[in-house]
Amino acid sequence: MVHLPFRYPRLLLAGLLVSALSPASAKFDAAEVYTESPSVAAHFPVPKGVSFTTPAFAKGKKDFTSQQEMERFIKDLAASSPALKVRVVAQSQEGRAIPLLIFTREGYDSKQWIAKNGKPTVLIVAQQHGNEPAGGEAALMFAKSLADGKEGDVLSRVNVLIIPRANPDGAEHFTRDLANGVNLNRDHLLLASPEGRAIAQVLNSYLPDVTLDAHEFSVAGRWVKKFNAVQGYDGLVQHATTLNLSVPLYQAMAGAWNTALSQAFKAHGLRDSVYYTTDQIHLEDKTLSMGGTGPDALRNMAGLRNSIAFLLETRGVGIGKAHFERRVWTQFVAMQAMVKQAAADPEALMTLTRDVRSEVAASAGKGELVVKGKATRGKHEVTLLDAQTGAPMTFEADWRSSLQITPEITRTRPWGYLLAPEQQTAVDKLRELGVEVYRLKQSREIPVERYVVASLEQGQKFDVTGKVGATGNKMTKVTTTLVKTELTGTAGYWYVPLSQPLANLIVAALEPETQSSFVANGVITLPAASEKAASLPLWRVTENIPTLPDLF
């Protein structure tokens, strides 16, 4: 078996800014801000008794925290707290540092030590979208609270990792996507960007038991156009909702963890709801949709990595710095609640995630899996605020629920997958995701199902609100049929067993029919469209192949 080396992240050295030089202020344009009516604004007072001391709240500052300001703030925190170590996990496409803050009671930061210190690990990722600054600011605020010892003794029971700015180029230019136009929060399966690969390295190395992905949602825009209203909730929350999630993990997220977040918001006078959005292209369509079911978003990918995983969105996109204290405080409350919930019973949390990993690995060759599915239509009550009067507008909306996924394609769960010898790109990508891949040393007959291509059609990737990013949206729609056969002459083929904890992630990558799959995105070679009844260089293994040293 060949392992790709893990390039261990560099220390963020005191006195050294590792990012490319950049202006001291982010490029935020106040002229593009939507101004809420006074009646709407009155719903969102500044939280009382809260001290905001991160860079964006400096006296006279009119924009948001710049890269250099963030780095200086983190360096000062690290100097003040023995519990904090900082590593740079990658450079962005424009050369800016992506720091990882590692909090442990003992002040150690190696992945080996954290894996063995008997405590669960919570990962907070903020600002995947550069124009959503509240999550990044709250991450700095929460880091300071941890560094200052204001979170009690939580570090005696949990480890906390924080990526305060996953998309530093987008933050610097105040744009949603990465420098190349790709939506980072749709790059956690294909890993087409250095930023996406950096997050994958953190997930592979530290195996977080809990993951929180911090975002902001649009307040006006499509909501005013469709409903003459604006969003009225402080926070919208959704746990992982993708195909083939472990049932015990799903139940924990939908139960105790959802409750813990909602109770924390209510305790601080904040209004919360399940996350939803609406199509921004077809204004006549007033259907509301929960976050998608695709495996490419971080919340869903973390779930497939057997982590308790949540998306948090606070109101903010399009309103500039309005209510910024309240937005940051809402994010802070959620981060604090997630860490407190993990610390409340760390042994039970670690037992859950350990058992889920074992359960997933033991399911190879058993039962069925859902290859493709869609959100289920229904009704759901929501409350918006009248854009002029601020009066609450509660109504029952047409709704697409990701909590109930309607299966479109189901198949038996194979024992694993075989890839043709020349599919090195797919093998490398799987290993970047943390998947174990073996190479057959000798030929043997292997019972398989081969994918016979029924149709190929060029298409575009779409989310519930439209395109998934400015670029990177081209894909090939693939339909296949399965034919049982035996594969011979298999020396040099790659074997990807499903008897491993990332089995459900493997399924998301290798089953061809979804827009996120390796086949649809050209990671696995497609046959020419003119080839009749052509097969993919990918097979489903229908009998167990023991991974013996003499075979691999």
Side-chain angles (χ1 to χ4, degrees):
M1 181 175 56
V2 179
H3 288 283
L4 289 182
F6 174 75
R7 293 187 176 90
Y8 209 69
R10 294 174 295 164
L11 285 168
L12 184 62
L13 300 175
L16 175 65
L17 288 177
V18 295
S19 294
L21 293 177
S22 58
S25 297
K27 297 175 182 176
F28 160 67
D29 186 356
E32 297 181 358
V33 168
Y34 172 86
T35 302
E36 297 167 310
S37 72
S39 299
V40 168
H43 285 278
F44 304 99
V46 175
K48 294 180 179 179
V50 182
S51 176
F52 297 93
T53 59
T54 52
F57 296 104
K59 186 176 181 180
K61 189 164 180 62
K62 297 180 180 179
D63 60 359
F64 300 100
T65 299
S66 72
Q67 179 75 12
Q68 290 186 4
E69 289 169 337
M70 179 190 72
E71 289 181 1
R72 283 194 294 269
F73 185 84
I74 291 170
K75 183 183 71 174
D76 291 344
L77 279 188
S80 72
S81 174
L84 171 60
K85 293 292 183 291
V86 183
R87 291 189 173 270
V88 174
V89 293
Q91 301 287 323
S92 70
Q93 295 170 47
E94 294 182 348
R96 297 181 177 91
I98 301 175
L100 170 68
L101 283 59
I102 304 170
F103 283 94
T104 65
R105 182 186 61 178
E106 298 82 359
Y108 299 136
D109 62 345
S110 80
K111 58 182 179 180
Q112 295 87 353
W113 184 85
I114 287 177
K116 295 178 180 178
N117 71 4
K119 293 180 281 189
T121 296
V122 178
L123 171 65
I124 296 168
V125 179
Q127 219 164 346
Q128 288 199 73
H129 295 147
N131 64 341
E132 299 173 9
E137 205 68 22
L140 296 180
M141 183 176 172
F142 188 62
K144 180 169 174 55
S145 189
L146 286 168
D148 291 348
K150 293 182 179 178
E151 294 302 311
D153 64 344
V154 293
L155 293 181
S156 69
R157 299 191 298 279
V158 297
N159 314 302
V160 180
L161 310 181
I162 301 174
I163 301 176
R165 183 167 290 184
N167 178 6
D169 298 340
E172 194 69 17
H173 301 297
F174 208 72
T175 55
R176 176 181 174 84
D177 294 328
L178 298 171
N180 61 359
V182 168
N183 180 346
L184 176 55
N185 199 32
R186 297 298 180 273
D187 190 36
H188 296 294
L189 184 61
L190 295 173
L191 303 183
S193 68
E195 295 88 349
R197 292 191 291 274
I199 294 173
Q201 281 190 345
V202 172
L203 293 167
N204 292 340
S205 299
Y206 296 101
L207 299 177
D209 301 275
V210 179
T211 304
L212 177 65
D213 183 21
H215 290 260
E216 292 193 89
F217 58 78
S218 295
V219 174
R222 72 197 78 163
W223 302 101
V224 174
K225 293 174 183 176
K226 287 189 177 187
F227 301 99
N228 192 32
V230 297
Q231 283 278 30
Y233 297 106
D234 290 292
L236 303 178
V237 171
Q238 184 172 332
H239 59 73
T241 51
T242 193
L243 304 173
N244 306 306
L245 283 170
S246 158
V247 172
L249 188 75
Y250 186 97
Q251 290 173 337
M253 292 185 291
W257 286 83
N258 235 344
T259 299
L261 276 169
S262 186
Q263 288 179 344
F265 289 136
K266 288 178 172 58
H268 292 282
L270 301 168
R271 296 179 292 275
D272 69 296
S273 168
V274 66
Y275 174 73
Y276 63 90
T277 185
T278 188
D279 188 324
Q280 58 187 341
I281 298 172
H282 304 97
L283 297 180
E284 73 285 355
D285 182 2
K286 296 186 178 182
T287 302
L288 305 184
S289 302
M290 291 182 64
T293 62
D296 42 8
L298 179 57
R299 131 188 90 83
N300 286 339
M301 178 55 68
L304 292 177
R305 290 174 174 275
N306 310 307
S307 172
I308 296 287
F310 276 82
L311 166 74
L312 166 68
E313 301 244 5
T314 53
R315 66 191 321 269
V317 174
I319 60 172
K321 223 172 175 182
H323 322 302
F324 198 52
E325 293 93 342
R326 188 180 180 98
R327 289 152 53 188
V328 171
W329 179 239
T330 303
Q331 295 271 355
F332 180 95
V333 166
M335 294 172 188
Q336 186 181 63
M338 294 290 277
V339 170
K340 282 185 175 180
Q341 179 68 9
D345 194 344
E347 293 81 10
L349 173 57
M350 292 187 73
T351 298
L352 170 67
T353 55
R354 182 181 63 243
D355 289 352
V356 165
R357 293 183 183 109
S358 298
E359 167 227 317
V360 171
S363 65
K366 301 174 185 176
E368 287 193 331
L369 51 82
V370 181
V371 172
K372 187 177 181 180
K374 62 182 179 180
T376 301
R377 286 186 172 272
K379 296 284 188 179
H380 188 79
E381 187 178 275
V382 298
T383 300
L384 302 177
L385 300 176
D386 184 281
Q388 284 76 45
T389 68
M393 298 168 50
T394 300
F395 62 99
E396 193 173 51
D398 292 326
W399 186 257
R400 291 190 184 96
S401 173
S402 298
L403 300 177
Q404 297 87 34
I405 302 175
T406 302
E408 296 178 287
I409 301 174
T410 58
R411 289 177 176 147
T412 58
R413 182 179 288 266
W415 286 94
Y417 297 86
L418 283 173
L419 286 160
E422 68 273 11
Q423 299 304 310
Q424 184 71 55
T425 300
V427 170
D428 291 345
K429 193 74 70 178
L430 287 167
R431 286 177 171 159
E432 283 186 311
L433 288 164
V435 171
E436 298 283 352
V437 182
Y438 301 83
R439 194 159 202 177
L440 275 68
K441 292 180 180 178
Q442 55 185 284
S443 290
R444 58 177 292 176
E445 291 185 356
I446 301 177
V448 297
E449 292 174 318
R450 68 185 178 98
Y451 294 95
V452 179
V453 177
S455 67
L456 296 174
E457 179 185 347
Q458 295 306 305
Q460 293 280 327
K461 299 180 196 174
F462 286 99
D463 257 346
V464 294
T465 58
K467 288 185 178 180
V468 301
T471 61
N473 296 314
K474 291 183 179 179
M475 50 82 69
T476 303
K477 296 180 181 178
V478 183
T479 59
T480 66
T481 57
L482 299 180
V483 176
K484 291 188 175 182
T485 185
E486 284 197 342
L487 196 61
T488 59
T490 54
Y493 279 59
W494 303 98
Y495 181 47
V496 189
L498 288 189
S499 55
Q500 54 182 304
L502 296 184
N504 293 326
L505 182 159
I506 296 167
V507 169
L510 296 185
E511 290 290 342
E513 278 83 1
T514 67
Q515 68 176 21
S516 303
S517 74
F518 281 11
V519 171
N521 290 277
V523 178
I524 292 175
T525 307
L526 280 166
S530 59
E531 292 184 53
K532 301 295 183 183
S535 296
L536 297 175
L538 169 69
W539 297 263
R540 308 172 96 244
V541 177
T542 57
E543 290 185 11
N544 189 22
I545 305 177
T547 51
L548 301 176
D550 60 328
L551 294 178
F552 299 94

